[in-house]
């Protein structure tokens, strides 16, 4: 870690990171706000969901229905929107932290200072993870706030389930950030890095979605990272955490370590 | 102080640098001359440890610049050929950032440099002209008083006045014992400061010479305009090396022998004499031709 670099990079990215965090907080509050009006019609909504093809409901996290706030938030927010926000954050930010600096040439200034490439790369990875942590934390806090504000007494809130949702999302995106960081660290071209990371991340995302919708294609979700984050299962308590945690941490670590090592050894066109 | 030893790097497409070797002694100002695309920046990228040499190595003091990252930079100042700063910074915030990366610099020294180069460091870098960015880059390369300063085309974008300030700066630092390596594609630009220079062409070093030797072999082209065409004809027969002529104008190529040129020219009525700017190949035709014949 190089502290001056960490500080400067956080400063450079603080604006976008807070936009993501507050955007996410805003959406989750919106979800809590509209829930009561949905709940009054939950029976007809549940009937509607039942009339839909089973896969479609699953794909969009509707299988738990609208009966409880946890089911609603896990399906509607953590099942889709939050995943999209964090996907975009991971792809954009990891590209900006490594590939862009190499592409533009400003990495040359960092490396002409008395620091090593490993320190630079570790610092950039730390900035990325700080952003991820910040967005998840702000969203979590907004969730508690939303419950207290729009739903009722916090003591009735399934706090455990909600925290696990956020933990699951953080772990998934630790892995996704690891992969997009690796792509960014080996690229000389910012646009290429962005394109490849986009294809990989949204590729995984789509595999998961298609696999859930179609029974014939259900194998697809098993090769997708995103299937390791199952919000509906987390709320129901049916997720076996051990393999999920191990796999996601391992993939994320492998991505970061590979990215840092390759960056140390490659010729840079600065 | 700085040794480049047999450094080779071939890019896909066959361009690159081939077996580049030279040494810069402590306290020396070393010029690195070559036309566009000769491989100056590529060599400097190897010196800075950005690129891994396919063959050979670069040493600064006792450090291998590829293997010993993080150790040699403390004593190095670097000005890239194409300056790129991080977005959203002003000159001042960039210099602050570079100082903090270097663990702090002498603020008085930094302020003095900014003052001498005459720029407003509160301007956002995005809005700076090329010359202003160059000045910020020069301050960043000099402010921590490094032992070795590596400059890739330092005067590009600077107006003549600032070029003069820059040259003074280099000479002052040289007097303090600082070692310099600077690339350029113009000989007049480096001859005022450098002790020695290497000439590179198509990725190969074709000469490493003392600046006085280079000055002695450099060709200059004088464009002499006569009052009368008859004088011109007489002049053409004087035995001087004539490059070309047209109407009352003659271009004479002179290499070291200025006495003979002035004596011959003094015999006639002359309307004007201009020095014709030559590119590197034409100034050092001797070296380039020899290379061509090999
Ligand atoms: N990444 C690369 N891939 C392929 N060719 C390259 C690459 N980088 C440089 N080259 C080629 O290598 C040669 C040397 O380039 P270099 O930038 O070192 O020249 P230079 O002497 O600095 O020129 P200039 O005076 O224009 O700055 C050029 O022909 C260039 O096109
Ligand atoms: Mg160059």
């Amino acid at each position: 870690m190089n502290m001056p670099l960490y500080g400067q990079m956080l400063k450079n990215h603080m604006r976008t990171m807070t936009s993501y965090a507050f955007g996410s907080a805003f959406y989750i509050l919106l979800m809590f706000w509209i829930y009561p009006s949905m709940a009054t019609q939950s029976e007809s909504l549940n009937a509607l969901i039942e009339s839909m093809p089973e896969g479609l409901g699953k794909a969009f996290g509707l299988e738990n229905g609208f009966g409880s706030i946890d089911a609603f938030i896990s399906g509607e927010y953590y099942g889709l929107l939050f995943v999209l926000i964090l996907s975009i954050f991971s792809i954009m930010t990891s590209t900006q932290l490594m590939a862009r600096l190499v592409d533009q040439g400003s990495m040359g200034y960092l490396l002409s200072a008395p620091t090593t490439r490993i320190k630079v790369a570790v610092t950039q990875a730390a900035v990325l993870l700080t952003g991820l942590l910040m967005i998840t934390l702000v969203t979590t806090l907004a969730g508690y706030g939303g419950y207290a504000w729009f739903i009722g007494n916090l003591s009735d809130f399934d706090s455990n389930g909600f925290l696990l949702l956020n933990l699951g999302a953080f772990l998934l995106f630790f892995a996704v950030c690891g992969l997009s960081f690796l792509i960014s660290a080996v690229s000389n071209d910012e646009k290429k890095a962005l394109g490849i990371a986009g294809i990989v991340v949204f590729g995984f995302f789509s595999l998961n979605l298609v696999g859930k919708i179609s029974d014939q294609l259900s194998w697809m979700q098993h090769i997708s990272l995103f299937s390791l984050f199952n919000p509906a299962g987390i709320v129901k308590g049916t997720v076996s955490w051990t393999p999920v945690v191990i796999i996601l941490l391992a993939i994320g670590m492998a991505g970061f370590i590979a990215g840092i090592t390759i960056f140390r050894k490659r010729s840079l066109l600065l | 102080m700085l040794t480049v030893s047999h450094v080779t790097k071939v890019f896909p497409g066959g361009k690159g640098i081939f077996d580049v070797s030279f040494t810069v002694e402590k306290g020396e100002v070393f010029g690195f001359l070559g036309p566009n695309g000769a491989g100056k920046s590529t060599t400097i990228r190897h010196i800075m440890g950005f690129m891994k040499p396919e063959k050979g190595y670069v040493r600064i003091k006792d450090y291998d610049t590829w293997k010993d990252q993080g150790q040699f930079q403390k004593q190095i100042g670097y000005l890239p050929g194409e300056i790129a700063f991080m977005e959203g910074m002003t000159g001042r915030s960039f210099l602050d950032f570079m100082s903090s990366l270097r663990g702090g610099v002498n603020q008085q020294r930094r302020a003095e440099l900014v003052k001498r180069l005459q720029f407003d460091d509160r301007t956002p870098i995005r809005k700076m002209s090329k010359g202003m960015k160059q000045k910020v880059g020069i301050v960043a390369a000099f402010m921590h008083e490094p032992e070795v300063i590596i400059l890739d085309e330092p005067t590009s974008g600077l107006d003549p006045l600032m070029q003069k300030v820059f040259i003074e700066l280099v000479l002052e630092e040289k007097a303090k014992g600082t070692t310099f390596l600077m690339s350029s594609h113009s000989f007049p630009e480096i001859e005022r400061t450098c002790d020695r220079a290497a000439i590179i062409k198509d990725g190969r070093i074709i000469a490493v010479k003392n600046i006085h030797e280079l000055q002695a072999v450099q060709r200059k082209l004088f464009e002499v305009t006569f009052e009368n065409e008859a004088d011109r004809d007489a002049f053409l027969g004087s035995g001087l090396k004539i490059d070309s002529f047209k109407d009352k104008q003659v271009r004479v190529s002179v290499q070291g022998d200025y006495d003979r040129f002035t004596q011959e020219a003094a015999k006639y009525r002359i309307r004007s004499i201009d020095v014709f700017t030559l590119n590197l190949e034409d100034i050092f035709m001797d070296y380039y031709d020899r290379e061509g014949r090999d």
Side-chain angles (χ1 to χ4, degrees):
Chain A
M1 271 288 264
N2 180 318
M3 286 324 283
L5 179 60
Y6 181 75
Q8 182 64 43
M9 284 293 156
L10 266 192
K11 209 170 135 205
N12 289 2
H13 289 271
M14 197 37 91
R15 253 237 209 66
T16 31
M17 284 177 184
T18 41
S19 315
Y20 281 107
F22 285 103
S24 170
F26 173 75
Y27 271 114
I28 200 170
L29 285 175
L30 199 70
M31 291 286 162
F32 278 98
W33 181 60
I34 59 173
Y35 176 73
S37 62
M38 302 285 267
T40 54
Q41 301 166 32
S42 73
E43 291 205 356
S44 50
L45 280 170
N46 283 341
L48 179 74
I49 291 165
E50 248 149 62
S51 71
M52 291 198 313
E54 193 194 339
L56 209 60
K58 246 198 209 161
F60 294 101
L62 302 176
E63 66 216 79
N64 286 356
F66 288 89
S68 75
I69 179 69
D70 305 308
F72 180 69
I73 288 292
S74 70
E76 289 313 294
Y77 193 64
Y78 287 86
L80 194 64
L81 261 181
F82 193 45
V83 170
L84 283 176
I85 292 176
L86 285 183
S87 295
I88 295 170
F89 165 79
S90 312
I91 297 168
M92 301 285 284
T93 311
S94 55
T95 305
Q96 286 164 8
L97 284 169
M98 297 295 286
R100 172 180 285 179
L101 299 188
V102 171
D103 194 353
Q104 286 182 336
S106 45
M107 183 65 83
Y109 267 114
L110 305 185
L111 298 182
S112 70
T115 182
T116 63
R117 287 197 195 181
I118 292 188
K119 277 191 196 152
V120 169
V122 167
T123 308
Q124 300 299 74
V127 173
L128 181 62
L129 291 176
T130 307
L132 176 61
L133 189 67
M134 191 179 97
I135 299 171
T136 321
L137 278 180
V138 170
T139 306
T140 311
L141 290 177
Y144 280 102
Y147 192 93
W149 194 357
F150 299 114
I151 312 291
N153 202 323
L154 269 182
S155 54
D156 303 330
F157 187 39
D158 176 12
S159 183
N160 238 350
F162 184 66
L163 283 178
L164 284 178
L165 271 181
N166 286 289
L167 177 69
F170 180 83
L171 285 173
L172 171 65
F173 282 93
F174 176 74
V176 170
C177 280
L179 292 184
S180 46
F181 183 84
L182 168 61
I183 293 166
S184 176
V186 302
S187 304
N188 289 321
D189 184 324
E190 180 186 350
K191 292 216 174 75
K192 242 190 212 158
L194 192 64
I196 296 172
I199 289 169
V200 169
V201 174
F202 284 104
F204 274 142
F205 179 80
S206 316
L207 283 178
N208 187 39
L209 207 62
V210 173
K212 276 181 183 169
I213 292 173
S214 155
D215 272 344
Q216 282 100 37
L217 297 176
S218 74
W219 56 269
M220 278 191 174
Q221 59 175 302
H222 300 304
I223 56 169
S224 169
L225 270 185
F226 284 77
S227 67
L228 293 173
F229 175 54
N230 174 4
I234 291 176
V235 172
K236 270 191 286 186
T238 58
V239 171
S240 55
W241 279 91
T242 316
V244 167
V245 172
I246 291 176
I247 294 173
L248 289 177
L249 281 181
I251 291 177
M253 286 309 286
F256 283 116
I257 290 172
I260 292 165
T261 325
I262 297 175
F263 182 68
R264 162 70 183 89
K265 292 192 176 146
R266 75 196 189 92
S267 273
L268 295 172
L269 300 167
L270 291 173
Chain B
M1 196 67 171
L2 187 157
T3 307
V4 178
S5 175
H6 303 288
V7 172
T8 298
K9 171 87 188 182
V10 187
F11 289 118
K15 300 253 183 182
I17 54 173
F18 307 91
D19 202 34
V20 168
S21 297
F22 57 84
T23 322
V24 184
E25 305 300 337
K26 183 166 167 45
E28 187 174 41
V29 180
F30 191 86
F32 196 35
L33 271 176
N36 288 135
K40 301 180 296 293
S41 298
T42 306
T43 306
I44 288 176
R45 287 178 186 125
H46 282 88
I47 294 175
M48 290 304 295
F50 299 155
M51 295 183 119
K52 182 180 181 174
E54 275 162 31
K55 285 194 209 110
Y57 61 85
V58 178
R59 271 179 184 289
I60 292 183
K61 298 176 98 175
D62 284 328
Y63 298 114
D64 181 311
T65 59
W66 173 255
K67 291 181 191 142
D68 305 329
Q69 289 180 8
Q71 297 175 301
F72 71 93
Q73 289 101 324
K74 206 160 182 60
Q75 284 312 326
I76 303 270
Y78 170 56
L79 175 75
E82 283 139 43
I83 303 196
F85 302 100
M86 268 180 280
E87 297 136 59
M89 284 183 152
T90 63
R92 182 177 296 174
S93 60
F94 172 74
L95 293 174
D96 285 342
F97 173 53
M98 287 309 291
S99 314
S100 65
L101 277 184
R102 295 201 168 276
V105 305
N106 183 341
Q107 289 301 318
Q108 208 180 330
R109 160 83 178 162
R110 175 182 142 181
E112 185 204 312
L113 285 169
V114 170
K115 194 163 158 232
R116 281 182 70 176
L117 288 166
Q118 295 172 19
F119 67 94
D120 183 355
D121 64 359
R122 289 164 306 183
T123 315
I125 290 174
R126 198 165 35 87
K127 294 196 178 140
M128 286 187 177
S129 66
K130 174 148 177 34
M132 270 175 90
K133 286 186 197 160
Q134 193 75 6
K135 291 174 183 179
V136 177
I138 291 172
V139 175
F142 280 72
M143 66 181 176
H144 51 295
E145 301 178 88
E147 285 179 48
V148 184
I149 301 186
I150 293 165
L151 306 160
D152 196 354
E153 299 189 20
T155 53
S156 78
L158 296 186
D159 62 38
L161 191 70
M162 278 304 137
Q163 293 192 9
K164 219 178 125 238
V165 172
F166 170 77
I167 287 171
E168 284 164 18
L169 213 56
V170 171
L171 292 176
E172 279 167 33
E173 287 310 300
K174 181 187 173 181
K176 292 184 207 159
T178 308
T179 310
F180 281 90
L181 173 89
M182 53 180 158
S183 80
S184 171
H185 34 232
S186 142
F187 182 62
E189 195 178 286
I190 67 157
E191 70 179 325
R192 279 169 279 177
T193 47
C194 289
D195 303 304
R196 284 193 308 144
I199 300 178
I200 184 169
K201 187 204 179 201
D202 295 337
R204 288 171 210 279
I205 301 280
I206 56 177
V208 182
K209 287 275 184 295
N210 184 304
I211 214 78
H212 303 301
E213 286 176 73
L214 288 176
Q215 278 167 337
V217 300
Q218 77 169 318
R219 257 167 27 105
K220 279 190 185 165
L221 215 54
F222 292 97
E223 200 169 64
V224 187
T225 311
F226 293 91
E227 289 283 355
N228 310 307
E229 234 170 279
D231 287 350
R232 182 206 72 183
D233 290 333
F235 186 77
L236 287 180
S238 66
L240 284 167
K241 210 162 156 194
I242 305 298
D243 184 75
S244 62
F245 62 93
K246 191 183 161 209
D247 302 333
K248 291 174 186 167
Q249 250 179 19
V250 180
R251 283 189 191 160
V252 195
S253 154
V254 180
Q255 204 171 4
D257 204 358
Y258 299 100
D259 265 354
R260 242 202 92 211
F261 167 64
T262 46
Q263 278 162 18
E264 286 297 332
K267 295 178 188 165
Y268 312 100
R269 285 182 61 84
I270 286 171
R271 192 176 292 161
S272 80
I273 299 182
D274 285 314
V275 181
F276 194 77
T277 324
L278 291 176
N279 60 23
L280 266 181
E281 273 102 331
D282 292 327
I283 295 181
F284 296 115
M285 238 157 104
D286 286 2
Y287 293 123
Y288 283 103
D289 277 2
R290 198 182 311 147
E291 175 71 10
R293 266 183 270 122
D294 286 344

